[in-house]
Amino acid sequence: TVAALASTITVNPLVTGIGDLTDSESATLIRDVMSTDGGRVASDDYTVDTLLTVNGAWMASGQQYWGPNKSIWTVLDPSSPEPTPWNRGTSYVSFSWDTGVDTPIVTTPQDDLIRIRISPCDSRLTILDVRWIVSSQPIDTGCEAEVARFLWRGMPRWVFERLPT
């Protein structure tokens, strides 16, 4: 037992607590910027969604636990003949910011992931009360304002507030 423990302790370190999720500059920024002013947050990376959720952000992206809310999904995907891409019991919902699309494109790149390719300026985001966008790339469309940047998992993230239309 001692030999097995000694050989695995350096390969699989024990982790206690939630560390960077609550005690980091990124976590503090999320709490300061997004958790007090209302509105939902949508991001393009499910690993960031965990940070956002733990720090009080009201999410449009992230884990969908109880199956789809049809009225919300029909806002994003009104012309879909079949609800197959989003009709899942438990899944991750992630956005992909694309200024070149006029209507959202909902896909399932894998069974438990729903991806919504949408323009950050799309009025459907307003209907869904999305006030904040967190992106792994800079966005400059004129319908959002950069309010912060942070590092998550060693990569830069941009926080934008959607401007009223």
PDB file of all heavy atoms in Angstrom, residues 77-115:
ATOM      1  N   ASP A  77     -34.084  28.756 -31.573  1.00  0.00           N
ATOM      2  CA  ASP A  77     -34.151  27.847 -32.714  1.00  0.00           C
ATOM      3  C   ASP A  77     -35.603  27.724 -33.210  1.00  0.00           C
ATOM      4  O   ASP A  77     -36.179  26.639 -33.206  1.00  0.00           O
ATOM      5  CB  ASP A  77     -33.613  26.481 -32.262  1.00  0.00           C
ATOM      6  CG  ASP A  77     -33.280  25.556 -33.419  1.00  0.00           C
ATOM      7  OD1 ASP A  77     -33.090  26.048 -34.543  1.00  0.00           O
ATOM      8  OD2 ASP A  77     -33.207  24.345 -33.178  1.00  0.00           O
ATOM      9  N   PRO A  78     -36.210  28.847 -33.668  1.00  0.00           N
ATOM     10  CA  PRO A  78     -37.642  28.831 -33.997  1.00  0.00           C
ATOM     11  C   PRO A  78     -38.005  28.027 -35.241  1.00  0.00           C
ATOM     12  O   PRO A  78     -39.120  27.552 -35.371  1.00  0.00           O
ATOM     13  CB  PRO A  78     -37.980  30.304 -34.193  1.00  0.00           C
ATOM     14  CG  PRO A  78     -36.695  30.927 -34.610  1.00  0.00           C
ATOM     15  CD  PRO A  78     -35.620  30.148 -33.884  1.00  0.00           C
ATOM     16  N   SER A  79     -37.081  27.844 -36.145  1.00  0.00           N
ATOM     17  CA  SER A  79     -37.421  27.193 -37.406  1.00  0.00           C
ATOM     18  C   SER A  79     -36.999  25.734 -37.464  1.00  0.00           C
ATOM     19  O   SER A  79     -37.168  25.090 -38.493  1.00  0.00           O
ATOM     20  CB  SER A  79     -36.796  27.958 -38.574  1.00  0.00           C
ATOM     21  OG  SER A  79     -35.386  27.922 -38.443  1.00  0.00           O
ATOM     22  N   SER A  80     -36.471  25.214 -36.370  1.00  0.00           N
ATOM     23  CA  SER A  80     -36.013  23.831 -36.377  1.00  0.00           C
ATOM     24  C   SER A  80     -37.199  22.886 -36.529  1.00  0.00           C
ATOM     25  O   SER A  80     -38.126  22.920 -35.731  1.00  0.00           O
ATOM     26  CB  SER A  80     -35.265  23.510 -35.086  1.00  0.00           C
ATOM     27  OG  SER A  80     -34.855  22.161 -35.097  1.00  0.00           O
ATOM     28  N   PRO A  81     -37.183  22.038 -37.574  1.00  0.00           N
ATOM     29  CA  PRO A  81     -38.292  21.103 -37.745  1.00  0.00           C
ATOM     30  C   PRO A  81     -38.316  20.029 -36.657  1.00  0.00           C
ATOM     31  O   PRO A  81     -39.348  19.501 -36.317  1.00  0.00           O
ATOM     32  CB  PRO A  81     -38.026  20.475 -39.113  1.00  0.00           C
ATOM     33  CG  PRO A  81     -36.566  20.670 -39.347  1.00  0.00           C
ATOM     34  CD  PRO A  81     -36.174  21.910 -38.599  1.00  0.00           C
ATOM     35  N   GLU A  82     -37.171  19.735 -36.107  1.00  0.00           N
ATOM     36  CA  GLU A  82     -37.048  18.747 -35.038  1.00  0.00           C
ATOM     37  C   GLU A  82     -36.241  19.363 -33.900  1.00  0.00           C
ATOM     38  O   GLU A  82     -35.240  20.014 -34.134  1.00  0.00           O
ATOM     39  CB  GLU A  82     -36.302  17.503 -35.549  1.00  0.00           C
ATOM     40  CG  GLU A  82     -37.040  16.737 -36.616  1.00  0.00           C
ATOM     41  CD  GLU A  82     -38.268  16.024 -36.068  1.00  0.00           C
ATOM     42  OE1 GLU A  82     -38.240  15.586 -34.906  1.00  0.00           O
ATOM     43  OE2 GLU A  82     -39.249  15.929 -36.802  1.00  0.00           O
ATOM     44  N   PRO A  83     -36.654  19.140 -32.666  1.00  0.00           N
ATOM     45  CA  PRO A  83     -35.885  19.684 -31.540  1.00  0.00           C
ATOM     46  C   PRO A  83     -34.689  18.817 -31.159  1.00  0.00           C
ATOM     47  O   PRO A  83     -34.134  18.977 -30.091  1.00  0.00           O
ATOM     48  CB  PRO A  83     -36.920  19.709 -30.411  1.00  0.00           C
ATOM     49  CG  PRO A  83     -37.848  18.589 -30.735  1.00  0.00           C
ATOM     50  CD  PRO A  83     -37.910  18.529 -32.246  1.00  0.00           C
ATOM     51  N   THR A  84     -34.256  17.939 -32.040  1.00  0.00           N
ATOM     52  CA  THR A  84     -33.199  16.985 -31.727  1.00  0.00           C
ATOM     53  C   THR A  84     -31.931  17.630 -31.173  1.00  0.00           C
ATOM     54  O   THR A  84     -31.394  17.146 -30.188  1.00  0.00           O
ATOM     55  CB  THR A  84     -32.868  16.125 -32.964  1.00  0.00           C
ATOM     56  OG1 THR A  84     -34.070  15.518 -33.408  1.00  0.00           O
ATOM     57  CG2 THR A  84     -31.851  15.066 -32.641  1.00  0.00           C
ATOM     58  N   PRO A  85     -31.415  18.711 -31.754  1.00  0.00           N
ATOM     59  CA  PRO A  85     -30.162  19.246 -31.202  1.00  0.00           C
ATOM     60  C   PRO A  85     -30.249  19.661 -29.738  1.00  0.00           C
ATOM     61  O   PRO A  85     -29.299  19.526 -28.999  1.00  0.00           O
ATOM     62  CB  PRO A  85     -29.861  20.456 -32.087  1.00  0.00           C
ATOM     63  CG  PRO A  85     -30.578  20.197 -33.348  1.00  0.00           C
ATOM     64  CD  PRO A  85     -31.819  19.432 -32.961  1.00  0.00           C
ATOM     65  N   TRP A  86     -31.381  20.183 -29.311  1.00  0.00           N
ATOM     66  CA  TRP A  86     -31.469  20.682 -27.947  1.00  0.00           C
ATOM     67  C   TRP A  86     -32.379  19.863 -27.035  1.00  0.00           C
ATOM     68  O   TRP A  86     -32.471  20.152 -25.846  1.00  0.00           O
ATOM     69  CB  TRP A  86     -31.886  22.140 -27.928  1.00  0.00           C
ATOM     70  CG  TRP A  86     -33.076  22.514 -28.757  1.00  0.00           C
ATOM     71  CD1 TRP A  86     -33.031  23.066 -30.002  1.00  0.00           C
ATOM     72  CD2 TRP A  86     -34.458  22.398 -28.413  1.00  0.00           C
ATOM     73  NE1 TRP A  86     -34.311  23.293 -30.454  1.00  0.00           N
ATOM     74  CE2 TRP A  86     -35.207  22.886 -29.499  1.00  0.00           C
ATOM     75  CE3 TRP A  86     -35.146  21.922 -27.307  1.00  0.00           C
ATOM     76  CZ2 TRP A  86     -36.589  22.930 -29.513  1.00  0.00           C
ATOM     77  CZ3 TRP A  86     -36.531  21.949 -27.306  1.00  0.00           C
ATOM     78  CH2 TRP A  86     -37.240  22.455 -28.399  1.00  0.00           C
ATOM     79  N   ASN A  87     -33.025  18.851 -27.543  1.00  0.00           N
ATOM     80  CA  ASN A  87     -33.939  18.051 -26.735  1.00  0.00           C
ATOM     81  C   ASN A  87     -33.173  16.948 -26.024  1.00  0.00           C
ATOM     82  O   ASN A  87     -33.177  15.789 -26.425  1.00  0.00           O
ATOM     83  CB  ASN A  87     -35.053  17.472 -27.601  1.00  0.00           C
ATOM     84  CG  ASN A  87     -36.150  16.837 -26.771  1.00  0.00           C
ATOM     85  OD1 ASN A  87     -36.199  17.016 -25.563  1.00  0.00           O
ATOM     86  ND2 ASN A  87     -37.019  16.100 -27.415  1.00  0.00           N
ATOM     87  N   ARG A  88     -32.503  17.321 -24.964  1.00  0.00           N
ATOM     88  CA  ARG A  88     -31.674  16.394 -24.200  1.00  0.00           C
ATOM     89  C   ARG A  88     -31.935  16.614 -22.721  1.00  0.00           C
ATOM     90  O   ARG A  88     -32.154  17.732 -22.280  1.00  0.00           O
ATOM     91  CB  ARG A  88     -30.209  16.640 -24.507  1.00  0.00           C
ATOM     92  CG  ARG A  88     -29.960  16.410 -25.980  1.00  0.00           C
ATOM     93  CD  ARG A  88     -28.581  16.771 -26.418  1.00  0.00           C
ATOM     94  NE  ARG A  88     -28.501  16.630 -27.851  1.00  0.00           N
ATOM     95  CZ  ARG A  88     -28.486  15.482 -28.502  1.00  0.00           C
ATOM     96  NH1 ARG A  88     -28.535  14.356 -27.852  1.00  0.00           N
ATOM     97  NH2 ARG A  88     -28.431  15.449 -29.811  1.00  0.00           N
ATOM     98  N   GLY A  89     -31.883  15.550 -21.966  1.00  0.00           N
ATOM     99  CA  GLY A  89     -32.139  15.652 -20.531  1.00  0.00           C
ATOM    100  C   GLY A  89     -31.047  16.396 -19.803  1.00  0.00           C
ATOM    101  O   GLY A  89     -31.276  17.386 -19.135  1.00  0.00           O
ATOM    102  N   THR A  90     -29.823  15.955 -19.915  1.00  0.00           N
ATOM    103  CA  THR A  90     -28.692  16.585 -19.249  1.00  0.00           C
ATOM    104  C   THR A  90     -27.620  16.851 -20.287  1.00  0.00           C
ATOM    105  O   THR A  90     -27.243  15.960 -21.044  1.00  0.00           O
ATOM    106  CB  THR A  90     -28.122  15.663 -18.154  1.00  0.00           C
ATOM    107  OG1 THR A  90     -29.156  15.416 -17.203  1.00  0.00           O
ATOM    108  CG2 THR A  90     -26.948  16.300 -17.461  1.00  0.00           C
ATOM    109  N   SER A  91     -27.147  18.087 -20.335  1.00  0.00           N
ATOM    110  CA  SER A  91     -26.136  18.430 -21.334  1.00  0.00           C
ATOM    111  C   SER A  91     -25.468  19.748 -20.958  1.00  0.00           C
ATOM    112  O   SER A  91     -25.925  20.462 -20.085  1.00  0.00           O
ATOM    113  CB  SER A  91     -26.775  18.547 -22.718  1.00  0.00           C
ATOM    114  OG  SER A  91     -27.845  19.463 -22.680  1.00  0.00           O
ATOM    115  N   TYR A  92     -24.381  20.034 -21.642  1.00  0.00           N
ATOM    116  CA  TYR A  92     -23.720  21.325 -21.526  1.00  0.00           C
ATOM    117  C   TYR A  92     -24.198  22.192 -22.683  1.00  0.00           C
ATOM    118  O   TYR A  92     -24.316  21.722 -23.810  1.00  0.00           O
ATOM    119  CB  TYR A  92     -22.202  21.188 -21.634  1.00  0.00           C
ATOM    120  CG  TYR A  92     -21.573  20.457 -20.494  1.00  0.00           C
ATOM    121  CD1 TYR A  92     -21.195  19.131 -20.616  1.00  0.00           C
ATOM    122  CD2 TYR A  92     -21.347  21.104 -19.280  1.00  0.00           C
ATOM    123  CE1 TYR A  92     -20.618  18.450 -19.557  1.00  0.00           C
ATOM    124  CE2 TYR A  92     -20.769  20.427 -18.213  1.00  0.00           C
ATOM    125  CZ  TYR A  92     -20.408  19.106 -18.368  1.00  0.00           C
ATOM    126  OH  TYR A  92     -19.840  18.434 -17.321  1.00  0.00           O
ATOM    127  N   VAL A  93     -24.435  23.458 -22.396  1.00  0.00           N
ATOM    128  CA  VAL A  93     -24.827  24.417 -23.420  1.00  0.00           C
ATOM    129  C   VAL A  93     -23.696  25.429 -23.529  1.00  0.00           C
ATOM    130  O   VAL A  93     -23.293  26.040 -22.534  1.00  0.00           O
ATOM    131  CB  VAL A  93     -26.148  25.130 -23.058  1.00  0.00           C
ATOM    132  CG1 VAL A  93     -26.500  26.163 -24.116  1.00  0.00           C
ATOM    133  CG2 VAL A  93     -27.268  24.117 -22.881  1.00  0.00           C
ATOM    134  N   SER A  94     -23.166  25.582 -24.744  1.00  0.00           N
ATOM    135  CA  SER A  94     -22.053  26.491 -24.975  1.00  0.00           C
ATOM    136  C   SER A  94     -22.349  27.347 -26.197  1.00  0.00           C
ATOM    137  O   SER A  94     -22.978  26.880 -27.153  1.00  0.00           O
ATOM    138  CB  SER A  94     -20.770  25.684 -25.199  1.00  0.00           C
ATOM    139  OG  SER A  94     -19.667  26.540 -25.338  1.00  0.00           O
ATOM    140  N   PHE A  95     -21.910  28.579 -26.152  1.00  0.00           N
ATOM    141  CA  PHE A  95     -22.120  29.491 -27.267  1.00  0.00           C
ATOM    142  C   PHE A  95     -20.852  29.590 -28.107  1.00  0.00           C
ATOM    143  O   PHE A  95     -19.748  29.373 -27.612  1.00  0.00           O
ATOM    144  CB  PHE A  95     -22.517  30.879 -26.756  1.00  0.00           C
ATOM    145  CG  PHE A  95     -23.917  30.931 -26.227  1.00  0.00           C
ATOM    146  CD1 PHE A  95     -24.225  30.428 -24.975  1.00  0.00           C
ATOM    147  CD2 PHE A  95     -24.937  31.477 -26.988  1.00  0.00           C
ATOM    148  CE1 PHE A  95     -25.525  30.459 -24.482  1.00  0.00           C
ATOM    149  CE2 PHE A  95     -26.241  31.520 -26.517  1.00  0.00           C
ATOM    150  CZ  PHE A  95     -26.533  31.011 -25.253  1.00  0.00           C
ATOM    151  N   SER A  96     -21.028  29.908 -29.365  1.00  0.00           N
ATOM    152  CA  SER A  96     -19.930  30.179 -30.283  1.00  0.00           C
ATOM    153  C   SER A  96     -20.253  31.511 -30.951  1.00  0.00           C
ATOM    154  O   SER A  96     -21.259  31.623 -31.652  1.00  0.00           O
ATOM    155  CB  SER A  96     -19.833  29.052 -31.314  1.00  0.00           C
ATOM    156  OG  SER A  96     -18.851  29.347 -32.267  1.00  0.00           O
ATOM    157  N   TRP A  97     -19.425  32.521 -30.690  1.00  0.00           N
ATOM    158  CA  TRP A  97     -19.722  33.877 -31.162  1.00  0.00           C
ATOM    159  C   TRP A  97     -19.311  34.026 -32.620  1.00  0.00           C
ATOM    160  O   TRP A  97     -18.151  33.844 -32.959  1.00  0.00           O
ATOM    161  CB  TRP A  97     -19.016  34.903 -30.268  1.00  0.00           C
ATOM    162  CG  TRP A  97     -19.295  34.625 -28.833  1.00  0.00           C
ATOM    163  CD1 TRP A  97     -18.396  34.248 -27.880  1.00  0.00           C
ATOM    164  CD2 TRP A  97     -20.563  34.644 -28.187  1.00  0.00           C
ATOM    165  NE1 TRP A  97     -19.027  34.049 -26.682  1.00  0.00           N
ATOM    166  CE2 TRP A  97     -20.363  34.278 -26.839  1.00  0.00           C
ATOM    167  CE3 TRP A  97     -21.859  34.928 -28.608  1.00  0.00           C
ATOM    168  CZ2 TRP A  97     -21.404  34.204 -25.919  1.00  0.00           C
ATOM    169  CZ3 TRP A  97     -22.897  34.844 -27.689  1.00  0.00           C
ATOM    170  CH2 TRP A  97     -22.664  34.488 -26.368  1.00  0.00           C
ATOM    171  N   ASP A  98     -20.271  34.349 -33.478  1.00  0.00           N
ATOM    172  CA  ASP A  98     -20.028  34.422 -34.922  1.00  0.00           C
ATOM    173  C   ASP A  98     -20.849  35.566 -35.502  1.00  0.00           C
ATOM    174  O   ASP A  98     -22.078  35.478 -35.607  1.00  0.00           O
ATOM    175  CB  ASP A  98     -20.426  33.096 -35.575  1.00  0.00           C
ATOM    176  CG  ASP A  98     -20.086  33.028 -37.046  1.00  0.00           C
ATOM    177  OD1 ASP A  98     -19.833  34.090 -37.673  1.00  0.00           O
ATOM    178  OD2 ASP A  98     -20.090  31.917 -37.594  1.00  0.00           O
ATOM    179  N   THR A  99     -20.171  36.642 -35.899  1.00  0.00           N
ATOM    180  CA  THR A  99     -20.869  37.805 -36.441  1.00  0.00           C
ATOM    181  C   THR A  99     -21.416  37.555 -37.841  1.00  0.00           C
ATOM    182  O   THR A  99     -22.197  38.347 -38.344  1.00  0.00           O
ATOM    183  CB  THR A  99     -19.938  39.034 -36.472  1.00  0.00           C
ATOM    184  OG1 THR A  99     -18.794  38.711 -37.264  1.00  0.00           O
ATOM    185  CG2 THR A  99     -19.508  39.429 -35.071  1.00  0.00           C
ATOM    186  N   GLY A 100     -21.048  36.450 -38.450  1.00  0.00           N
ATOM    187  CA  GLY A 100     -21.483  36.170 -39.814  1.00  0.00           C
ATOM    188  C   GLY A 100     -22.790  35.406 -39.937  1.00  0.00           C
ATOM    189  O   GLY A 100     -23.221  35.102 -41.033  1.00  0.00           O
ATOM    190  N   VAL A 101     -23.443  35.088 -38.820  1.00  0.00           N
ATOM    191  CA  VAL A 101     -24.705  34.349 -38.907  1.00  0.00           C
ATOM    192  C   VAL A 101     -25.873  35.279 -38.601  1.00  0.00           C
ATOM    193  O   VAL A 101     -25.805  36.098 -37.686  1.00  0.00           O
ATOM    194  CB  VAL A 101     -24.738  33.115 -37.975  1.00  0.00           C
ATOM    195  CG1 VAL A 101     -23.682  32.108 -38.366  1.00  0.00           C
ATOM    196  CG2 VAL A 101     -24.583  33.494 -36.530  1.00  0.00           C
ATOM    197  N   ASP A 102     -26.944  35.167 -39.396  1.00  0.00           N
ATOM    198  CA  ASP A 102     -28.140  35.980 -39.177  1.00  0.00           C
ATOM    199  C   ASP A 102     -29.094  35.342 -38.173  1.00  0.00           C
ATOM    200  O   ASP A 102     -29.801  36.041 -37.460  1.00  0.00           O
ATOM    201  CB  ASP A 102     -28.880  36.202 -40.498  1.00  0.00           C
ATOM    202  CG  ASP A 102     -28.082  37.069 -41.455  1.00  0.00           C
ATOM    203  OD1 ASP A 102     -27.321  37.940 -40.979  1.00  0.00           O
ATOM    204  OD2 ASP A 102     -28.206  36.876 -42.673  1.00  0.00           O
ATOM    205  N   THR A 103     -29.139  34.018 -38.176  1.00  0.00           N
ATOM    206  CA  THR A 103     -29.975  33.295 -37.224  1.00  0.00           C
ATOM    207  C   THR A 103     -29.107  32.261 -36.526  1.00  0.00           C
ATOM    208  O   THR A 103     -28.162  31.726 -37.122  1.00  0.00           O
ATOM    209  CB  THR A 103     -31.158  32.589 -37.916  1.00  0.00           C
ATOM    210  OG1 THR A 103     -30.659  31.736 -38.929  1.00  0.00           O
ATOM    211  CG2 THR A 103     -32.113  33.597 -38.527  1.00  0.00           C
ATOM    212  N   PRO A 104     -29.412  31.966 -35.291  1.00  0.00           N
ATOM    213  CA  PRO A 104     -28.591  31.007 -34.549  1.00  0.00           C
ATOM    214  C   PRO A 104     -28.589  29.632 -35.215  1.00  0.00           C
ATOM    215  O   PRO A 104     -29.569  29.213 -35.823  1.00  0.00           O
ATOM    216  CB  PRO A 104     -29.271  30.923 -33.185  1.00  0.00           C
ATOM    217  CG  PRO A 104     -30.066  32.168 -33.067  1.00  0.00           C
ATOM    218  CD  PRO A 104     -30.479  32.523 -34.459  1.00  0.00           C
ATOM    219  N   ILE A 105     -27.473  28.950 -35.084  1.00  0.00           N
ATOM    220  CA  ILE A 105     -27.329  27.577 -35.574  1.00  0.00           C
ATOM    221  C   ILE A 105     -27.070  26.709 -34.349  1.00  0.00           C
ATOM    222  O   ILE A 105     -26.077  26.894 -33.649  1.00  0.00           O
ATOM    223  CB  ILE A 105     -26.180  27.469 -36.587  1.00  0.00           C
ATOM    224  CG1 ILE A 105     -26.447  28.383 -37.788  1.00  0.00           C
ATOM    225  CG2 ILE A 105     -25.984  26.020 -37.023  1.00  0.00           C
ATOM    226  CD1 ILE A 105     -25.253  28.571 -38.705  1.00  0.00           C
ATOM    227  N   VAL A 106     -27.979  25.781 -34.093  1.00  0.00           N
ATOM    228  CA  VAL A 106     -27.881  24.916 -32.921  1.00  0.00           C
ATOM    229  C   VAL A 106     -27.432  23.536 -33.379  1.00  0.00           C
ATOM    230  O   VAL A 106     -28.064  22.917 -34.232  1.00  0.00           O
ATOM    231  CB  VAL A 106     -29.235  24.820 -32.183  1.00  0.00           C
ATOM    232  CG1 VAL A 106     -29.124  23.926 -30.961  1.00  0.00           C
ATOM    233  CG2 VAL A 106     -29.729  26.214 -31.790  1.00  0.00           C
ATOM    234  N   THR A 107     -26.310  23.061 -32.816  1.00  0.00           N
ATOM    235  CA  THR A 107     -25.769  21.751 -33.178  1.00  0.00           C
ATOM    236  C   THR A 107     -25.402  20.967 -31.925  1.00  0.00           C
ATOM    237  O   THR A 107     -25.318  21.528 -30.835  1.00  0.00           O
ATOM    238  CB  THR A 107     -24.507  21.886 -34.065  1.00  0.00           C
ATOM    239  OG1 THR A 107     -23.510  22.625 -33.332  1.00  0.00           O
ATOM    240  CG2 THR A 107     -24.812  22.579 -35.376  1.00  0.00           C
ATOM    241  N   THR A 108     -25.176  19.693 -32.113  1.00  0.00           N
ATOM    242  CA  THR A 108     -24.687  18.838 -31.034  1.00  0.00           C
ATOM    243  C   THR A 108     -23.426  18.138 -31.518  1.00  0.00           C
ATOM    244  O   THR A 108     -23.482  17.062 -32.096  1.00  0.00           O
ATOM    245  CB  THR A 108     -25.739  17.788 -30.619  1.00  0.00           C
ATOM    246  OG1 THR A 108     -26.198  17.125 -31.784  1.00  0.00           O
ATOM    247  CG2 THR A 108     -26.907  18.414 -29.912  1.00  0.00           C
ATOM    248  N   PRO A 109     -22.254  18.748 -31.290  1.00  0.00           N
ATOM    249  CA  PRO A 109     -21.006  18.135 -31.725  1.00  0.00           C
ATOM    250  C   PRO A 109     -20.697  16.818 -31.015  1.00  0.00           C
ATOM    251  O   PRO A 109     -19.930  16.013 -31.505  1.00  0.00           O
ATOM    252  CB  PRO A 109     -19.946  19.183 -31.434  1.00  0.00           C
ATOM    253  CG  PRO A 109     -20.588  20.237 -30.636  1.00  0.00           C
ATOM    254  CD  PRO A 109     -22.061  20.058 -30.701  1.00  0.00           C
ATOM    255  N   GLN A 110     -21.312  16.615 -29.859  1.00  0.00           N
ATOM    256  CA  GLN A 110     -21.239  15.329 -29.163  1.00  0.00           C
ATOM    257  C   GLN A 110     -22.536  15.199 -28.363  1.00  0.00           C
ATOM    258  O   GLN A 110     -23.254  16.171 -28.166  1.00  0.00           O
ATOM    259  CB  GLN A 110     -19.997  15.235 -28.276  1.00  0.00           C
ATOM    260  CG  GLN A 110     -19.944  16.277 -27.174  1.00  0.00           C
ATOM    261  CD  GLN A 110     -18.602  16.324 -26.487  1.00  0.00           C
ATOM    262  OE1 GLN A 110     -17.572  16.367 -27.142  1.00  0.00           O
ATOM    263  NE2 GLN A 110     -18.613  16.327 -25.163  1.00  0.00           N
ATOM    264  N   ASP A 111     -22.826  13.998 -27.910  1.00  0.00           N
ATOM    265  CA  ASP A 111     -24.131  13.727 -27.304  1.00  0.00           C
ATOM    266  C   ASP A 111     -24.496  14.633 -26.138  1.00  0.00           C
ATOM    267  O   ASP A 111     -25.659  14.958 -25.951  1.00  0.00           O
ATOM    268  CB  ASP A 111     -24.218  12.265 -26.848  1.00  0.00           C
ATOM    269  CG  ASP A 111     -24.342  11.314 -28.027  1.00  0.00           C
ATOM    270  OD1 ASP A 111     -24.706  11.774 -29.132  1.00  0.00           O
ATOM    271  OD2 ASP A 111     -24.077  10.119 -27.839  1.00  0.00           O
ATOM    272  N   ASP A 112     -23.537  15.036 -25.339  1.00  0.00           N
ATOM    273  CA  ASP A 112     -23.862  15.833 -24.161  1.00  0.00           C
ATOM    274  C   ASP A 112     -23.480  17.304 -24.293  1.00  0.00           C
ATOM    275  O   ASP A 112     -23.394  18.017 -23.304  1.00  0.00           O
ATOM    276  CB  ASP A 112     -23.216  15.232 -22.921  1.00  0.00           C
ATOM    277  CG  ASP A 112     -21.695  15.249 -22.991  1.00  0.00           C
ATOM    278  OD1 ASP A 112     -21.149  15.493 -24.077  1.00  0.00           O
ATOM    279  OD2 ASP A 112     -21.058  15.013 -21.951  1.00  0.00           O
ATOM    280  N   LEU A 113     -23.263  17.786 -25.513  1.00  0.00           N
ATOM    281  CA  LEU A 113     -22.883  19.181 -25.737  1.00  0.00           C
ATOM    282  C   LEU A 113     -23.790  19.809 -26.785  1.00  0.00           C
ATOM    283  O   LEU A 113     -23.924  19.295 -27.896  1.00  0.00           O
ATOM    284  CB  LEU A 113     -21.422  19.279 -26.198  1.00  0.00           C
ATOM    285  CG  LEU A 113     -20.920  20.680 -26.557  1.00  0.00           C
ATOM    286  CD1 LEU A 113     -20.962  21.607 -25.344  1.00  0.00           C
ATOM    287  CD2 LEU A 113     -19.510  20.605 -27.121  1.00  0.00           C
ATOM    288  N   ILE A 114     -24.416  20.909 -26.422  1.00  0.00           N
ATOM    289  CA  ILE A 114     -25.230  21.692 -27.349  1.00  0.00           C
ATOM    290  C   ILE A 114     -24.473  22.980 -27.621  1.00  0.00           C
ATOM    291  O   ILE A 114     -24.114  23.706 -26.687  1.00  0.00           O
ATOM    292  CB  ILE A 114     -26.612  22.015 -26.755  1.00  0.00           C
ATOM    293  CG1 ILE A 114     -27.349  20.736 -26.396  1.00  0.00           C
ATOM    294  CG2 ILE A 114     -27.422  22.869 -27.722  1.00  0.00           C
ATOM    295  CD1 ILE A 114     -28.589  20.955 -25.548  1.00  0.00           C
ATOM    296  N   ARG A 115     -24.195  23.266 -28.871  1.00  0.00           N
ATOM    297  CA  ARG A 115     -23.473  24.482 -29.241  1.00  0.00           C
ATOM    298  C   ARG A 115     -24.408  25.399 -30.009  1.00  0.00           C
ATOM    299  O   ARG A 115     -25.071  24.978 -30.950  1.00  0.00           O
ATOM    300  CB  ARG A 115     -22.256  24.143 -30.087  1.00  0.00           C
ATOM    301  CG  ARG A 115     -21.565  25.383 -30.597  1.00  0.00           C
ATOM    302  CD  ARG A 115     -20.090  25.443 -30.477  1.00  0.00           C
ATOM    303  NE  ARG A 115     -19.529  24.830 -29.302  1.00  0.00           N
ATOM    304  CZ  ARG A 115     -18.504  23.994 -29.333  1.00  0.00           C
ATOM    305  NH1 ARG A 115     -17.958  23.641 -30.470  1.00  0.00           N
ATOM    306  NH2 ARG A 115     -18.023  23.505 -28.223  1.00  0.00           N
TER     307      ARG A 115
END
